[in-house]
């Protein structure tokens, strides 16, 4: 998969990490970038093709796929974090699961035949170090990203024969609006995007984009109490 000359689509492209993806894709010579958001008017960069897409709405996803039949690289970036805990009720948990898990799967499923028709291409699923680790205020988010991680592994196998690369991206906190309330180290979105697109061009199935994601993944093979010292 080469970025230069490719046609890409980025979900959740109106701000934060999604916007950084569109800018870096253009800088690397992508011939066309579809920048999607729930409200297409929020996409103001004249270099991209704005496209309405709500990943929680099957009709919206189908309509976007119909309009963007030349896509070769799909960046599944759209996501939400409500801060809901596991004991806080169902509404926020369902919203996170519908966006972060079902939305990711829905977009990948509808665009898979398009990628096959255009030579295979690649799908990037933006996951999280919280796919593997949970906090009291990330219960729904962690569950949805963990489910999306499992779906990413399944997609990688399901789309292998059509030549589609599926790259899962794990990262701690990124310096965007979503993590504005967090005190602690954050990674610049431009740094994450550069690693991801390098990984796509190298054919990598997984990108661990910071020390946090690498440390958490390595800790999965050890005693659970090392990841959760509060229960030790």
């Amino acid at each position: 998969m080469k970025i230069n000359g490719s046609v890409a689509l980025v979900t959740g492209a109106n701000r934060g990490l999604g916007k950084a993806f569109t800018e870096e894709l253009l800088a690397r010579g992508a011939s066309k970038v579809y920048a999607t958001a729930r409200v297409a008017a929020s996409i103001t960069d004249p270099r991209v093709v704005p496209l309405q897409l709500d990943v929680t709405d099957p009709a919206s996803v189908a309509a976007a796929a119909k309009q963007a039949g030349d896509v070769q690289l799909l960046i599944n970036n759209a996501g939400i974090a409500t801060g809901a805990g596991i004991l806080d009720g169902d509404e926020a948990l369902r919203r996170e699961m519908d966006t972060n898990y079902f939305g990711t799967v829905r977009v990948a499923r509808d665009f898979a035949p398009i990628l096959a028709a255009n030579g295979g291409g690649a799908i990037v699923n933006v996951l999280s170090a919280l796919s593997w680790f949970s906090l009291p205020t990330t219960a729904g988010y962690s569950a949805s990203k963990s489910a999306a991680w499992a779906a990413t592994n399944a997609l990688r196998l399901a789309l292998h024969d059509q030549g589609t690369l599926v790259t899962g991206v794990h990262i701690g906190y990124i310096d965007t609006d979503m993590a504005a309330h967090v005190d602690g180290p954050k990674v610049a979105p431009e740094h994450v995007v550069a690693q991801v697109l390098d990984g796509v061009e190298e054919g990598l199935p997984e990108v661990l984009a910071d020390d946090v994601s690498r440390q958490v993944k390595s800790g999965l093979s050890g005693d659970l109490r090392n990841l959760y010292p509060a229960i030790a």
Side-chain angles (χ1 to χ4, degrees):
M1 180 75 215
K2 298 299 182 185
I3 305 302
N4 186 46
S6 67
V7 177
L9 183 144
V10 182
T11 68
N14 55 329
R15 60 191 178 92
L17 187 64
K19 187 175 181 181
F21 266 115
T22 66
E23 291 173 349
E24 184 63 15
L25 285 163
L26 291 166
R28 295 191 183 209
S31 63
K32 183 192 292 186
V33 177
Y34 293 98
T36 80
R38 283 192 177 97
V39 179
S42 65
I43 306 292
T44 58
D45 189 333
R47 301 172 297 168
V48 303
V49 180
L51 192 61
Q52 194 279 331
L53 175 58
D54 179 351
V55 302
T56 68
D57 179 357
S60 176
V61 176
K66 187 174 181 179
Q67 294 177 68
D70 52 351
V71 167
Q72 299 164 296
L73 171 59
L74 169 64
I75 309 290
N76 255 327
N77 165 74
I80 63 168
T82 68
I86 198 67
L87 304 178
D88 291 338
D90 289 350
E91 182 181 356
L93 302 182
R94 289 183 187 279
R95 285 179 56 214
E96 286 174 316
M97 192 65 74
D98 196 22
T99 302
N100 301 340
Y101 170 63
F102 285 110
T104 295
V105 171
R106 189 175 290 122
V107 175
R109 186 174 57 220
D110 279 22
F111 275 89
I114 293 170
L115 295 173
N118 294 327
I123 297 174
V124 171
N125 286 345
V126 177
L127 305 172
S128 174
L130 292 169
S131 305
W132 304 316
F133 182 79
S134 190
L135 297 166
T137 58
T138 70
Y141 183 81
S142 294
S144 65
K145 288 295 186 176
S146 183
W149 173 45
T152 298
N153 292 331
L155 281 168
R156 188 177 297 117
L157 297 173
L159 302 182
H160 176 76
D161 287 347
Q162 72 174 43
T164 299
L165 170 70
V166 178
T167 301
V169 180
H170 295 270
I171 183 69
Y173 290 115
I174 307 173
D175 192 9
T176 63
D177 291 347
M178 185 179 286
H181 64 288
V182 176
D183 292 325
K186 301 175 188 177
V187 182
E190 296 80 9
H191 182 62
V192 175
V193 167
Q195 291 183 76
V196 172
L197 296 185
D198 286 347
V200 169
E201 292 201 314
E202 293 172 27
L204 298 182
E206 185 173 74
V207 173
L208 306 183
D210 67 346
D211 288 341
V212 170
S213 57
R214 289 185 281 271
Q215 290 167 3
V216 173
K217 186 177 184 184
S218 68
L220 293 176
S221 61
D223 191 319
L224 190 65
R225 290 169 293 187
N226 294 331
L227 280 179
Y228 296 97
I231 66 170

